[in-house]
Amino acid sequence: MTRSRRIVSTGAATIATIADEVGVSLTTVSKVLNGRSDVAPDTRARVEASLERHRYRRRAKRQPTEVEQIDLVFHQLDSGWATEIIHGVHAVTDAAKVDVVLSQLGGEHRPSQQWLEGVLLRRPLGVLLVLCHLTEPQRQQLQRRSIPLVVVDTDSATSASVPTVGSNNWNGGLLATRHLLELGHRRVACISGPEDVLCSRARAAGFRSAHDEAGIPVDPELVRYGMFAAHAGYQHGLELLTRPDRPTAVFAGSDMQALGVLRAARQLGLDVPADLSVIGYDDLPVASWVGPALTTVNQPLRDMAGTATQMLLDLARGVELSTTRIDLVTELVVRESTAPLRQPG
């Protein structure tokens, strides 16, 4: 059986150093570095442990004629939300003459190892993740190949070493709910995104904080979680608005969810805003064009994407970042879909 032996390094570790310490071939170490799947799990674990011990980093060498590109990865591409992010990314990459490789995970929040293998082969300037994250071993594989990583609105705390750009989701939930309570509504529903996504929980937390601030209890039956999609807003809307004690206002965690709520209200013969006030989140272009025009929370998606992209390009060019976490300001935009609670009689 091949046995590992500890080597005291007197300088920067090489692939030969790692191979000698673990007791494997240079080819095996290279396969682990390149994310190849044809390495036994226990061997991979020993090689990765040695790489981490030696803080091994491979310098990416590029030919002058090689096209510079970044990888932009979405958990899902299905709405105007993603389009706004893409516009923000391209505003920066076009100016920098950098190409963008776009991919999506079909709703998953973690890329597969197969995806990572493709990235390691392409060796882009960096990877920009949107509402998804890597496992710690995957992150380390990118780091060893000197491929920087930045996350937009991550769904977990991630590592403090991973730069992240988001917005103040808690404050957005607070502003939206406070507006509805100030209009006199007391039965306010909250439809947020997936419960395992940090921004969803933060918006719901802001919703609860506004109630606490006003001394009004939250009915847990009126708090729902689901996809940030129109069909989810529609389904939750039907369930909430057919209750005998239905809410008089709904705070939706996305504009798309709010559009679903508007459709449910129309189907049930409810007038917005006379019978029901609705607030969305994101301030997508469509929000100002629907009827009634949607009151919403402006989340500066293009600015978030542009800031994250610039951070990624700076890292790729060796510029040290002044901070690894940026949260941009959210603002309430009042339009036509909210109104004071109509008193009976």
Side-chain angles (χ1 to χ4, degrees):
M1 184 177 79
T2 303
R3 304 182 66 88
S4 301
R5 63 191 184 89
R6 180 65 182 233
I7 294 177
V8 178
S9 177
T10 57
T14 65
I15 291 181
T17 305
I18 305 300
D20 201 9
E21 175 177 298
V22 179
V24 297
S25 67
L26 295 177
T27 301
T28 298
V29 177
S30 180
K31 285 182 177 180
V32 172
L33 283 169
N34 290 321
R36 293 272 297 275
S37 58
D38 53 339
V39 179
D42 61 331
T43 302
R44 179 186 299 277
R46 290 189 294 118
V47 171
E48 288 183 341
S50 179
L51 290 166
E52 190 62 24
R53 247 191 329 270
H54 288 281
R55 300 184 182 278
Y56 179 86
R57 301 291 181 267
R58 177 187 287 182
R59 288 189 177 181
K61 297 180 179 180
R62 294 180 165 272
Q63 299 300 322
T65 57
E66 193 172 343
V67 175
E68 291 188 322
Q69 62 185 28
I70 65 169
D71 267 66
L72 172 60
V73 187
F74 284 87
H75 81 296
Q76 197 163 24
L77 277 171
D78 64 349
S79 72
W81 190 94
T83 302
E84 291 297 295
I85 294 289
I86 292 171
H87 281 309
V89 170
H90 275 293
V92 176
T93 56
D94 286 352
K97 301 188 185 311
V98 171
D99 289 346
V100 178
V101 176
L102 180 64
S103 58
Q104 63 98 22
L105 307 179
E108 297 295 323
H109 291 283
R110 179 176 296 170
S112 66
Q113 189 64 25
Q114 183 180 8
W115 168 86
L116 183 63
E117 290 174 13
V119 171
L120 294 174
L121 287 173
R122 284 195 302 273
R123 285 166 54 182
L125 288 175
V127 174
L128 186 62
L129 298 176
V130 184
L131 270 181
C132 52
H133 67 285
L134 302 182
T135 64
E136 185 60 22
Q138 287 176 329
R139 187 187 70 80
Q140 290 176 1
Q141 283 181 276
L142 286 184
Q143 191 175 41
R144 292 187 193 108
R145 293 296 300 269
S146 298
I147 300 174
L149 169 70
V150 176
V151 179
V152 176
D153 212 2
T154 181
D155 70 340
S156 70
T158 317
S159 166
S161 62
V162 178
T164 304
V165 179
S167 64
N168 195 327
N169 291 287
W170 177 86
N171 186 62
L174 178 76
L175 291 176
T177 311
R178 184 186 284 166
H179 173 64
L180 294 171
L181 296 176
E182 288 173 349
L183 289 173
H185 296 279
R186 292 299 176 263
R187 288 192 60 73
V188 181
C190 173
I191 303 173
S192 195
E195 194 168 7
D196 62 344
V197 173
L198 181 62
C199 66
S200 303
R201 300 197 302 273
R203 292 170 198 178
F207 168 83
R208 293 188 177 91
S209 294
H211 280 79
D212 292 343
E213 177 184 81
I216 299 170
V218 172
D219 183 347
E221 293 294 318
L222 300 185
V223 179
R224 307 295 177 92
Y225 292 92
M227 298 301 294
F228 282 126
H231 66 82
Y234 173 70
Q235 188 59 48
H236 284 304
L238 285 179
E239 294 171 1
L240 290 164
L241 299 177
T242 52
R243 294 171 59 96
D245 55 349
R246 71 167 180 85
T248 62
V250 176
F251 162 47
S254 74
D255 288 343
M256 300 309 296
Q257 285 179 329
L259 294 183
V261 173
L262 291 178
R263 180 181 177 185
R266 283 195 302 271
Q267 184 173 318
L268 296 171
L270 296 175
D271 181 85
V272 177
D275 300 318
L276 178 73
S277 286
V278 179
I279 290 185
Y281 202 106
D282 291 327
D283 197 18
L284 300 178
V286 69
S288 62
W289 287 99
V290 296
L294 187 65
T295 296
T296 187
V297 175
N298 176 269
Q299 181 176 209
L301 296 172
R302 294 196 186 200
D303 289 343
M304 288 163 55
T307 299
T309 305
Q310 190 59 60
M311 290 169 70
L312 187 64
L313 295 181
D314 286 345
L315 286 170
R317 287 157 186 166
V319 177
E320 185 175 349
L321 302 180
S322 59
T323 181
T324 59
R325 176 77 205 191
I326 296 177
D327 282 313
L328 302 185
V329 175
T330 51
E331 297 178 328
L332 181 67
V333 180
V334 179
R335 296 193 178 103
E336 301 166 359
S337 65
T338 52
L341 176 66
R342 184 166 66 178
Q343 300 301 323

